[in-house]
Amino acid sequence: MNHHSHHHSHADGEQAPVGTIYTCPMHPEVRQDHPGNCPICGMALEPTIPLDAQDNHELKDFQRRFWWTLPLTMVVTVLAMFGHRLGWFGMATQSWIELVLSLPVVLWAGWPFFVRGWRSIVQRSPNMWTLIGLGTGAAFVYSVVATVAPQVFPASFVAMGRVAVYFEAAVVIISLTLLGQILELKARSQTSAALKSLLGLAPKTARRINADGSEEDVPLAHVHVGDLLRVRPGEKVPVDGVVTEGRSAVDESMLTGEPVPVTKRVGDALIGATLNTSGALVMRSEKVGAATMLAQIVQMVATAQRSKAPMQRMADVVAGKFVLMVVTIAVATFFVWGLFGPEPSWVFGLINAVAVLIIACPCALGLATPMSVMVATGRAATQGVLFRDAAAIEKLREVDTLIVDKTGTLTEGRPAFETAIATAESTPGEVLRLAASLDQGSEHPLAEAIVSAAREQGLLLAKPVDFESGSGIGVRGTVEGRHLALGNTALMEQAGVDVAALKLDAERLRGEGASVMHLAVDGRLAGLLAVTDPIKSSTPEAIRTLHASGLRIVMATGDGLTTAQAVATKLGIDEVHGEVKPADKLALVEKLQREGHVVAMAGDGINDAPALARADVGVAMGTGTDVAMNSGQVTLVKGDLRGIAAAREISTDTVRNMRQNLLFAFVYNGIGVPIAAGLLYPFTGWLLSPMIAALAMSLSSASVIFNALRLRRR
């Protein structure tokens, strides 16, 4: 028999999309294109990208089996416990009644368990179903024989006029196991709740502006690259693209974890599924379908959720050997009780052997880390932190040294005009106006900062004539009939301009981390302009948090040492390397590793790729566009250091959670098995009935899952 759920395909949920891959939470290497059970552990497979909540036919199937047979289980249990006191009918007749009532429970409700147990034996991968199948099977078969042919048993088996039967043990174990599976499947569906909510973020339709100016709502799947779309206030941005008209504040918190809405003007990038708050925008779509950032995030989280934590590999090895060990203990229990136990010794032997098989179910052990990983990766994603795999989560908490780039990580990465200083012949306003007039022709980001500062101050700019930009040292041109030169000291020397008058000011500004440009008018120095790359408002707080968690922070930047030193002093960074080329970053990572540090490197993923790959944990600071392209094990959707602090906290919490789960699973089995085998009986008279064992088994898996779900709370 192949798999019990083929006869009711997805009738009760919506059809799974074509190409859905199903995999096992405990064994990610198992992948197939249809639902079923894991050949290794027998668990129900799950879609890698969660489908809609209703689509859980395994859960429906188990619920049906559970509720329909629960009344029978209850009647059998009551009869077994109180039947002889009521004395309505002879004990032999009662055994027959119990047999008839138990048949549907064992053969119909318990059927999936026996199928899985049989497959586990055929495929030589013993698992929890091997134990449950053997346990309930043994109790049931023994009871049937005792009812149908009591004469085959010796007189010591007879109690109260019949051979003792254990139908109630078999049916209660099956009902409780079903209940445990129902709880587990429900809880497992919550572990992917974060992914489901990410999937639910994308709007269903987009408002397309056609070539003739008319507008229509089209399904999201019909949006193509290059379409113009209107995004009204309160609507979600449909796909990734760029603003072509309008301005608004867009709330990106659902993807970047950034609480403050971001102002978007013409030319700014928009991310699909973020929320347009105030103004109306028109956008041009640039990435649709699987290329959008949301789709990439979902894909990354789904892959990470299915990856194996290094900690789990040990648990897997243990679980496989464990089942064989348990079967051995159960057989030993049966014979030791049978040969040496009190009368009726073989009955005791059978019941204790069944209890051992049931209590030792290793499913708690198998679920211990995958559940924590699923919940943690989901929670991290909503905070803009993407882990490539479970190993990265485990590794991040061990990091003690963090290498960060300055531009764009600590600072805004966009230069901003700071101040203008004039010589006696001129005024700061005039210096800025002339410099900005000249710079209108330049593409350079420093030029852009000066021009926009002048416009903000409302200065009237003149048009430059015969503009020329010298190779990276500055620009020259004629404005209002005067010859201007704007650039660094090298340009001034070339033009024979004496810069001594403002030398001290220049040095002071450089010490504060600014880039300084000189302006010469007709061969004489007119003033200085300072442009800085402002520190992000979130940086100081992030650095404090990282320091508090015991990290040493090293800054490596391509900028000059003076500028770098200035920023480092302001932020209290531990070690500074200036004028660093991408290749030097790799060397720096290796040097720190040789000194015995566990190194995390935060970089932008393009020129830092080798260093990111070499670091123990590479943190790619996404600008939010090429999430999937990064070489880091951790990707921050928003290039913000607070993300590293958040990621590290999640890492610590998750590892603690995994350890709790594994410890619980080990301790539970370590205590349960000996008691069930009856080791304490000679001293305390304690035995563990198979029914209590079944209850404990169901609760053990549930407790591991619910402990993992605690990670969702912040």
Side-chain angles (χ1 to χ4, degrees):
M1 150 136 195
N2 182 2
H3 171 244
H4 68 270
S5 72
H6 281 286
H7 54 266
H8 48 244
S9 88
H10 291 259
D12 34 15
E14 66 179 72
Q15 190 64 38
V18 183
T20 304
I21 299 286
Y22 291 82
T23 180
C24 168
M26 305 209 275
H27 302 95
E29 63 277 14
V30 174
R31 296 174 75 83
Q32 61 183 48
D33 58 4
H34 54 273
N37 294 324
C38 171
I40 303 172
C41 66
M43 257 180 126
L45 299 180
E46 303 181 337
T48 44
I49 303 247
L51 307 169
D52 281 28
Q54 315 89 348
D55 189 41
N56 201 336
H57 60 273
E58 185 89 24
L59 178 61
K60 290 219 167 70
D61 180 38
F62 279 4
Q63 281 171 327
R64 193 163 52 233
R65 290 174 197 264
F66 175 72
W67 291 112
W68 277 102
T69 56
L70 187 62
L72 298 176
T73 298
M74 292 170 102
V75 173
V76 172
T77 312
V78 170
L79 275 179
M81 295 174 106
F82 305 112
H84 57 282
R85 304 213 182 128
L86 299 170
W88 288 338
F89 24 68
M91 294 310 285
T93 320
Q94 184 179 320
S95 295
W96 277 100
I97 294 172
E98 288 185 28
L99 166 61
V100 171
L101 293 173
S102 303
L103 271 172
V105 184
V106 177
L107 294 184
W108 178 64
W111 182 247
F113 303 162
F114 294 115
V115 172
R116 292 174 181 192
W118 176 246
R119 280 178 61 189
S120 73
I121 294 168
V122 173
Q123 296 181 331
R124 298 211 178 89
S125 64
N127 56 45
M128 66 177 276
W129 304 109
T130 327
L131 301 180
I132 292 172
L134 281 172
T136 47
F140 184 67
V141 170
Y142 157 78
S143 303
V144 170
V145 175
T147 306
V148 178
Q151 65 278 10
V152 303
F153 292 99
S156 67
F157 278 61
V158 178
M160 287 184 286
R162 66 166 179 178
V163 176
V165 290
Y166 286 94
F167 287 115
E168 83 280 8
V171 294
V172 169
I173 289 167
I174 284 173
S175 286
L176 279 170
T177 308
L178 276 169
L179 180 63
Q181 286 295 298
I182 289 168
L183 282 175
E184 192 179 297
L185 286 164
K186 279 193 159 159
R188 265 165 61 189
S189 71
Q190 287 184 315
T191 55
S192 56
L195 253 194
K196 284 193 187 127
S197 65
L198 278 175
L199 281 166
L201 284 176
K204 301 281 177 280
T205 60
R207 192 160 184 84
R208 188 166 66 198
I209 304 175
N210 298 325
D212 59 6
S214 64
E215 297 186 10
E216 57 174 332
D217 287 323
V218 297
L220 200 60
H222 295 182
V223 175
H224 302 297
V225 174
D227 284 356
L228 285 180
L229 309 169
R230 183 177 302 286
V231 189
R232 290 163 296 198
E235 288 185 333
K236 286 178 175 169
V237 176
V239 293
D240 296 6
V242 62
V243 181
T244 56
E245 61 180 86
R247 60 176 286 174
S248 173
V250 175
D251 175 7
E252 299 185 339
S253 61
M254 59 289 292
L255 296 183
T256 62
E258 168 67 53
V260 188
V262 188
T263 307
K264 301 285 183 183
R265 301 185 184 78
V266 174
D268 286 345
L270 289 171
I271 308 173
T274 55
L275 186 66
N276 179 24
T277 58
S278 49
L281 297 170
V282 175
M283 65 178 289
R284 188 177 63 248
S285 84
E286 289 186 335
K287 287 184 176 163
V288 300
T292 61
M293 172 143 162
L294 178 69
Q296 291 185 12
I297 289 180
V298 168
Q299 194 52 59
M300 264 186 91
V301 176
T303 314
Q305 286 191 343
R306 305 288 170 201
S307 64
K308 270 260 158 101
M311 222 185 266
Q312 184 66 25
R313 301 205 175 103
M314 165 193 76
D316 286 349
V317 175
V318 173
K321 300 206 164 77
F322 181 74
V323 175
L324 295 171
M325 196 173 80
V326 168
V327 174
T328 318
I329 295 175
V331 172
T333 302
F334 178 64
F335 282 109
V336 171
W337 274 91
L339 298 168
F340 308 112
E343 291 294 338
S345 61
W346 291 100
V347 176
F348 268 128
L350 175 77
I351 292 307
N352 289 330
V354 169
V356 168
L357 289 172
I358 301 299
I359 191 120
C361 178
C363 48
L365 198 57
L367 288 169
T369 76
M371 292 296 126
S372 306
V373 169
M374 284 187 74
V375 179
T377 44
R379 179 184 117 197
T382 56
Q383 295 184 313
V385 177
L386 307 173
F387 288 102
R388 158 130 13 116
D389 52 25
I393 303 184
E394 275 195 33
K395 194 73 187 163
L396 187 59
R397 51 176 282 283
E398 298 168 18
V399 168
D400 60 8
T401 307
L402 171 67
I403 304 177
V404 291
D405 190 32
K406 177 176 85 75
T407 315
T409 303
L410 301 174
T411 63
E412 292 285 358
R414 288 193 307 273
F417 171 76
E418 173 126 332
T419 177
I421 295 177
T423 51
E425 294 99 272
S426 188
T427 64
E430 184 65 4
V431 169
L432 177 59
R433 187 180 75 84
L434 288 172
S437 298
L438 177 62
D439 259 340
Q440 285 176 104
S442 169
E443 299 284 297
H444 200 281
L446 292 178
E448 207 177 306
I450 290 177
V451 176
S452 61
R455 291 217 168 103
E456 268 169 36
Q457 294 185 19
L459 303 174
L460 281 171
L461 304 186
K463 199 147 181 51
V465 196
D466 59 38
F467 172 85
E468 55 153 324
S469 65
S471 56
I473 57 172
V475 291
R476 300 171 186 226
T478 309
V479 173
E480 296 171 347
R482 288 181 283 183
H483 292 290
L484 304 187
L486 175 67
N488 60 17
T489 40
L491 179 75
M492 295 296 123
E493 278 168 22
Q494 208 178 309
V497 175
D498 179 21
V499 295
L502 296 175
K503 197 168 166 88
L504 290 171
D505 287 304
E507 277 171 11
R508 175 178 58 81
L509 288 166
R510 282 199 194 98
E512 285 169 17
S515 305
V516 177
M517 286 172 282
H518 297 74
L519 175 70
V521 179
D522 293 328
R524 291 176 61 93
L525 183 68
L528 303 174
L529 296 111
V531 174
T532 58
D533 182 0
I535 291 173
K536 281 188 190 171
S537 53
S538 60
T539 302
E541 170 211 356
I543 297 238
R544 277 198 299 278
T545 317
L546 290 167
H547 269 143
S549 70
L551 278 186
R552 182 150 156 274
I553 301 173
V554 179
M555 179 166 95
T557 174
D559 290 2
L561 203 50
T562 336
T563 318
Q565 203 68 59
V567 173
T569 316
K570 231 180 251 178
L571 291 172
I573 286 172
D574 306 291
E575 187 181 320
V576 187
H577 298 272
E579 293 169 21
V580 176
K581 296 177 196 60
D584 305 338
K585 286 192 180 171
L586 181 60
L588 178 63
V589 171
E590 287 171 339
K591 172 177 144 312
L592 287 163
Q593 284 172 331
R594 277 197 303 277
E595 289 168 14
H597 295 292
V598 181
V599 180
M601 155 99 196
D604 56 13
I606 303 152
N607 53 11
D608 298 332
L612 283 177
R614 183 76 187 84
D616 296 286
V617 179
V619 181
M621 306 295 254
T623 39
T625 42
D626 341 295
V627 178
M629 307 196 26
N630 285 313
S631 41
Q633 288 95 319
V634 180
T635 302
L636 301 182
V637 177
K638 197 169 166 39
D640 184 334
L641 278 184
R642 276 180 308 191
I644 298 184
R648 192 141 188 246
E649 199 172 329
I650 292 170
S651 163
T652 314
D653 289 354
T654 309
V655 171
R656 188 186 309 127
N657 194 280
M658 288 181 189
R659 285 186 175 153
Q660 290 161 351
N661 285 350
L662 281 170
L663 181 74
F664 174 79
F666 276 124
V667 167
Y668 155 84
N669 279 318
I671 294 174
V673 173
I675 297 182
L679 281 188
L680 297 180
Y681 183 75
F683 315 108
T684 60
W686 286 1
L687 280 178
L688 192 61
S689 91
M691 296 185 270
I692 303 285
L695 183 64
M697 173 202 75
S698 292
L699 290 176
S700 73
S701 310
S703 63
V704 162
I705 299 179
F706 286 115
N707 187 42
L709 287 172
R710 281 187 23 236
L711 281 171
R712 288 198 302 189
R713 296 203 300 276
R714 208 34 248 134

